[in-house]
């Protein structure tokens, strides 16, 4: 069961290739990947909890064979067996014989530490030329694999039962010979580098075929379809299962390993350029292995050089929130470099506006190349116009392995391995374009998503499964071209017009519960400025929040506020009229907005209101006319003023309060007849 992981922080990412090297033998134990490599005369070991960490991990020498055993150490492997570490490696036991004396050796750790010390256990098999020794366990029994050449001209794969990790229990049996066209390129013909592994009760042996000095060095697969691994007829050959692509020539001599999260990885070497052969140009790489319904591993296609990968089980390959407010950089919340906005960068908070003419986001050519077998493409869109195949998310600018688009009638469109009938991206299986039945609305935000689970294309609009769910057999190819948001160049420069945010690319098909989590996003507040006012003035301040999910409503609540303050629960309008006793003061206001989604999500915002005491009001000009007296009052605007009268300075009679729109302002009162004198005063209420 997949679990949708929180997007806090960056996933563990790495870039292919990892480093220079060849013949990578990797196992995973105690939370760490173990990579053994040869110096030519000794064995080094790198360990790291992440794949990317292997590139810079410490690389100590853990074993140097006795000089008497031989020279030119090849293809070391490390394995944990019977509570000990074991090293398997190839040496030339007679350097004067042009390598015809190569044999496989073993060494055993003296304790439980992978870095040794080790004790040599000598030759494993001595009868004829052999290299690339490896071991695996099946049904509780230990087997030894190697590439052997009894008669010069063809290397074959052999298997033997073992009585202990360094002793054979019987004669080896040949189970594969290089006979097929993809195995016989170069002379001598080659089957080598065998690696045995089990998956869900099925046993496989992966091996390398053809000459490593050719660009056509490739991987083949043996599947145990009988019952006895020591019988050649029990094995069925298929291939090539992993072959050269531009930027990855001669991919081979691999190992397969399952990490702590249950994911399978193919470690291999390849040359970045053609014609580089078996020398020091080879580089180590790693990418996921997928398991289709038929139970056989699907290795996909080698990624282009400098591809950025994630080892997160969530397999979120790219996430561009498009939540910036200024600038031409678009943050990538997971792996890879930030996107670069081409054309006008108009941020609408949240989202980026695409003008339909020349705005698009270049997310880099290294992004999205590990998405080959399954996928999810998702984004929030607010289209302002529709045209044929306007790009929302497109991988590639000439060859497009996958693309999410809008169509002229408002439907969502998914395209795989464009161009149809032309030159496909390397590694392609199947192609086509499919449209949703449901339609997007102009001028409205909608969440659009397409998934492919290895069998069926599925559309979802605003979290609802669409009626269009076509069956398809696809594997998405690879291309050293950018991931693009807002345009489809490979389809003929079709630009999206409107706003996009929350663009995501997964290398797996999200489930419905995960979609609910993905679609239900929390509300957001706009920035609220701090405010100053005078005690007695009324503050009416809209505090707007927006919810990115169509159809959801918000309720507002004060979390922290002074006495007398209130917020409208439906509109978010904050109101407060501080009294004289609340001045002077600085007051923190905190309020929340909560949506009615499932689950209900909230956001908070805060600002300060500073209250000062009002200035003392003054009666300035006085005039009498027609039995009325008029005063001009000076002070702060917006307050309630009361003019009171008295004949003895002890008993005061107030007039009704006045709240003038501006100051100074006038107050007129009738003069009572017969009063010899009258006193007047003005004050704040």
């Amino acid at each position: 069961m997949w679990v949708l992981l929180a997007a806090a922080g960056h996933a563990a990412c790495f870039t292919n290739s990892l480093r220079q090297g060849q013949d990578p033998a990797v196992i995973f134990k105690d939370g760490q990947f173990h990579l053994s490599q040869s110096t030519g005369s000794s064995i080094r070991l790198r360990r790291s909890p992440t794949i990317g960490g292997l590139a810079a991990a410490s690389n100590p020498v853990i074993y140097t064979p006795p000089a008497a055993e031989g020279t030119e150490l090849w293809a070391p492997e490390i394995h944990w067996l019977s509570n000990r570490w074991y090293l398997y490696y190839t040496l030339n036991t007679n350097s004067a014989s042009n390598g015809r004396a190569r044999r496989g050796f073993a060494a055993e750790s003296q304790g439980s530490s992978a870095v040794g010390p080790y004790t040599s256990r000598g030759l494993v098999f001595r009868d004829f030329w052999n290299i690339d020794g490896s071991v695996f366990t099946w049904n509780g029994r230990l087997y030894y694999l190697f590439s052997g050449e009894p008669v010069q001209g063809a290397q074959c794969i052999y298997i033997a039962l073992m009585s202990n990790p360094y002793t054979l229990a019987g004669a080896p049996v040949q189970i594969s010979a290089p006979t097929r066209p993809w195995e016989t390129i170069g002379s001598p013909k080659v089957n080598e580098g065998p690696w045995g592994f089990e998956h869900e009760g099925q046993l496989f042996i992966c091996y390398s075929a053809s000459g490593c000095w050719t660009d056509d060095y490739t991987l083949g697969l043996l599947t145990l379809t009988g019952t006895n691994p020591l019988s050649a007829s029990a094995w069925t050959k298929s291939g090539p299962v992993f072959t050269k692509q531009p930027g990855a020539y001669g991919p081979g001599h691999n190992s397969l390993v399952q990490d702590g999260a249950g994911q399978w990885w193919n470690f291999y070497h390849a040359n970045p350029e053609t014609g580089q052969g078996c020398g020091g140009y080879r580089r180590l790489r790693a990418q996921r292995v997928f398991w289709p319904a038929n139970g056989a591993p699907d290795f996909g296609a080698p990624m282009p050089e400098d591809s950025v990968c994630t080892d997160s089980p969530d397999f979120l390959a790219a996430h561009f929130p498009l939540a910036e407010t200024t600038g031409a950089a678009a943050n990538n919340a997971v792996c890879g470099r930030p996107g670069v906005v081409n054309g006008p960068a108009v941020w609408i908070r949240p989202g980026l506006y695409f003008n339909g003419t020349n705005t698009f986001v270049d997310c880099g050519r290294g992004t999205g190349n590990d998405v080959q077998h399954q996928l999810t493409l998702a984004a929030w869109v607010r289209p302002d116009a529709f045209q044929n195949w306007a790009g929302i998310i497109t991988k590639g600018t000439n060859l497009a392995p996958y693309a999410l688009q809008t169509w002229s009638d408002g439907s969502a469109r998914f395209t795989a391995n464009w161009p149809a009938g032309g030159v496909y991206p390397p590694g392609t299986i199947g192609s086509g374009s499919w449209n949703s039945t449901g339609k997007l609305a102009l001028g409205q935000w909608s969440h659009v998503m397409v998934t492919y689970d290895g069998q069926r294309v599925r559309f979802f609009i605003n979290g609802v499964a669409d009626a269009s769910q076509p069956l398809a057999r696809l594997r998405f190819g690879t291309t050293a071209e950018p991931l693009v948001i807002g345009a489809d160049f490979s389809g003929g420069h079709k630009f999206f017009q409107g706003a996009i945010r929350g663009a995501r690319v997964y290398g797996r098909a999200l489930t419905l519960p995960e979609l609910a989590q993905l679609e239900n996003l929390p509300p957001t507040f706009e920035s609220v400025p701090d405010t100053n006012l005078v005690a007695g003035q009324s503050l009416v301040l809209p505090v707007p929040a927006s919810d990115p999910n169509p159809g959801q409503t918000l309720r507002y609540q004060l979390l922290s506020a002074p006495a007398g303050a209130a917020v409208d629960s439906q509109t978010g309008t904050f109101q407060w009229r501080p009294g004289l006793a609340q001045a002077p003061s600085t007051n923190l206001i905190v309020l929340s907005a909560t949506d009615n989604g499932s689950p209900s999500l909230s956001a908070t915002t805060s600002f300060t209101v500073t209250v000062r005491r009002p200035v003392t009001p003054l009666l300035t000009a006085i005039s009498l006319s027609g039995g009325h007296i008029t005063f001009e009052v000076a002070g702060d605007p917006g307050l309630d003023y009361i003019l009171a009268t008295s004949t003895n300075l002890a008993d005061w009679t107030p007039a009704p309060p006045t709240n003038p729109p501006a100051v100074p302002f006038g107050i007129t009162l009738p003069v009572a007849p017969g009063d010899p004198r009258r006193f007047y005063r003005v004050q704040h209420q």
Side-chain angles (χ1 to χ4, degrees):
M1 177 178 177
W2 289 103
V3 177
L4 188 62
L5 303 181
H10 285 252
C13 303
F14 62 93
T15 300
N16 270 319
S17 52
L18 296 169
R19 56 172 290 106
Q20 189 277 332
Q22 59 281 322
D23 306 342
V26 179
I27 70 163
F28 187 84
K29 178 172 169 39
D30 298 332
Q32 290 195 313
F33 294 93
H34 295 64
L35 167 65
S36 54
Q37 291 276 272
S38 171
T39 68
S41 59
S42 301
I43 299 174
R44 292 184 180 271
L45 180 68
R46 293 176 182 268
R47 291 178 294 177
S48 170
T50 64
I51 294 174
L54 290 171
S58 62
N59 193 27
V61 171
I62 62 169
Y63 180 66
T64 301
E69 285 188 350
T71 59
E72 297 181 26
L73 193 152
W74 283 7
E77 294 188 8
I78 186 169
H79 295 271
W80 174 257
L81 303 166
S82 302
N83 296 317
R84 287 287 189 272
W85 291 99
Y86 289 87
L87 301 174
Y88 299 91
Y89 52 95
T90 301
L91 289 173
N92 187 354
T93 60
N94 182 355
S95 60
S97 64
N98 296 320
R100 297 309 308 159
R102 294 201 179 276
R103 298 290 188 273
F105 291 78
E108 180 185 47
S109 68
Q110 297 176 18
S112 59
S113 173
V115 297
Y118 285 85
T119 299
S120 173
R121 293 303 185 186
L123 283 163
V124 179
F125 178 68
R126 67 176 66 245
D127 290 0
F128 52 81
W129 185 98
N130 65 89
I131 62 172
D132 299 345
S134 184
V135 295
F136 69 91
T137 300
W138 171 252
N139 287 339
R141 310 180 81 181
L142 185 64
Y143 293 86
Y144 185 68
L145 293 171
F146 63 89
S147 173
E149 192 175 0
V151 179
Q152 190 169 357
Q155 292 176 224
C156 303
I157 303 298
Y158 289 81
I159 187 172
L161 187 65
M162 305 188 83
S163 57
N164 63 45
Y166 47 87
T167 306
L168 301 189
V173 176
Q174 178 186 307
I175 55 174
S176 177
T179 57
R180 300 190 180 182
W182 51 271
E183 298 179 292
T184 58
I185 301 172
S187 180
K189 302 171 184 178
V190 173
N191 279 183
E192 64 183 16
W195 183 272
F197 58 101
E198 176 189 350
H199 180 262
E200 295 185 352
Q202 181 69 62
L203 182 62
F204 304 93
I205 296 173
C206 196
Y207 66 96
S208 300
S210 289
C212 70
W213 55 92
T214 73
D215 290 345
D216 297 292
Y217 197 54
T218 190
L219 294 184
L221 186 70
L222 299 174
T223 302
L224 184 66
T225 52
T227 58
N228 182 11
L230 297 176
S231 170
S233 62
W235 295 94
T236 299
K237 178 182 293 189
S238 55
V241 296
F242 196 65
T243 190
K244 68 181 179 181
Q245 307 293 347
Y249 297 94
H253 204 124
N254 70 319
S255 54
L256 279 85
V257 60
Q258 189 176 22
D259 68 16
Q263 303 172 116
W264 283 82
W265 296 92
N266 178 26
F267 286 83
Y268 63 99
H269 69 232
N271 286 314
E273 303 291 342
T274 184
Q276 292 179 324
C278 303
Y281 296 102
R282 290 177 292 183
R283 300 188 64 81
L284 305 184
R285 299 164 175 241
Q287 61 190 77
R288 296 174 193 253
V289 178
F290 271 76
W291 298 92
N294 64 9
D298 188 335
F299 295 87
M303 300 177 201
E305 189 76 8
D306 298 324
S307 294
V308 180
C309 308
T310 173
D311 64 12
S312 167
D314 195 32
F315 208 159
L316 179 56
H319 177 202
F320 292 86
L322 300 181
E324 288 76 10
T325 57
T326 60
N331 175 51
N332 185 354
V334 283
C335 297
R337 67 165 176 82
V340 178
V341 180
N342 291 259
V346 180
W347 300 99
I348 60 174
R349 295 186 299 180
L352 177 65
Y353 187 76
F354 296 80
N355 62 12
T357 302
N358 63 347
T359 304
F360 67 95
V361 180
D362 182 334
C363 303
R365 66 186 186 90
T367 302
N369 291 320
D370 49 349
V371 176
Q372 296 189 26
H373 299 84
Q374 300 181 12
L375 62 65
T376 296
L377 305 176
W380 287 93
V381 298
R382 193 196 67 195
D384 289 344
F386 294 123
Q387 63 170 320
N388 292 354
W389 64 81
I392 300 172
I393 301 172
T394 306
K395 174 59 178 174
T397 53
N398 292 287
L399 305 177
Y402 50 83
L404 174 61
Q405 306 151 327
T406 59
W407 194 244
S408 57
D409 62 355
S411 59
R413 185 175 179 87
F414 173 64
T415 297
N417 298 319
W418 180 269
V423 178
Y424 294 107
T428 290
I429 293 178
S431 64
S433 293
W434 300 269
N435 283 27
S436 68
T437 301
K439 303 296 188 289
L440 305 175
L442 291 177
Q444 296 182 17
W445 281 108
S446 298
H447 187 265
V448 58
M449 185 173 85
V450 63
T451 68
Y452 178 70
D453 61 4
Q455 296 180 319
R456 188 178 295 274
V457 176
R458 289 183 169 90
F459 293 96
F460 299 86
I461 297 177
N462 291 328
V464 178
D466 191 75
S468 177
Q469 297 187 5
L471 289 168
R473 182 172 182 264
L474 302 171
R475 186 207 289 155
F476 311 111
T478 63
T479 176
E481 297 177 349
L483 183 79
V484 174
I485 300 174
D488 191 314
F489 294 107
S490 53
H493 289 66
K494 298 293 187 178
F495 291 90
F496 181 85
Q497 184 174 343
I500 300 176
R501 57 182 170 83
R504 295 172 180 251
V505 179
Y506 290 84
R508 61 184 183 87
L510 264 61
T511 64
L512 278 173
E514 291 174 329
L515 171 58
Q517 294 181 54
L518 180 66
E519 186 192 354
N520 186 25
L521 300 176
T524 57
F525 280 100
E526 294 185 12
S527 177
V528 182
D530 295 336
T531 302
N532 299 283
L533 76 158
V534 177
Q537 290 180 339
S538 293
L539 176 63
V540 179
L541 181 65
V543 184
S546 59
D547 192 277
N549 302 96
Q552 291 188 1
T553 58
L554 298 176
R555 293 191 67 81
Y556 296 85
Q557 181 180 3
L558 277 177
L559 302 180
S560 176
V567 67
D568 188 295
S569 63
Q570 294 183 339
T571 67
T573 301
F574 174 77
Q575 300 182 60
W576 184 36
R577 190 178 191 191
L580 289 175
Q582 294 173 300
S585 64
T586 299
N587 304 271
L588 176 66
I589 313 299
V590 181
L591 59 85
S592 67
T594 303
D595 66 25
N596 63 341
S598 179
S600 180
L601 301 176
S602 298
T604 61
T605 190
S606 63
F607 57 95
T608 60
V609 177
T610 300
V611 182
R612 67 170 175 85
R613 291 190 64 83
V615 299
T616 302
L618 297 175
L619 294 174
T620 55
I622 303 174
S623 62
L624 288 168
S625 176
H628 289 78
I629 185 170
T630 299
F631 299 93
E632 187 175 88
V633 181
D636 285 311
L639 308 182
D640 286 344
Y641 289 88
I642 297 176
L643 186 66
T645 64
S646 176
T647 58
N648 57 13
L649 294 178
D651 302 310
W652 293 89
T653 302
T658 299
N659 188 289
V663 290
F665 66 98
I667 297 178
T668 301
L669 295 175
V671 178
D675 282 345
R677 60 183 179 180
R678 186 170 291 274
F679 302 95
Y680 296 87
R681 72 179 183 187
V682 65
Q683 63 187 53
H684 299 122
Q685 187 178 37

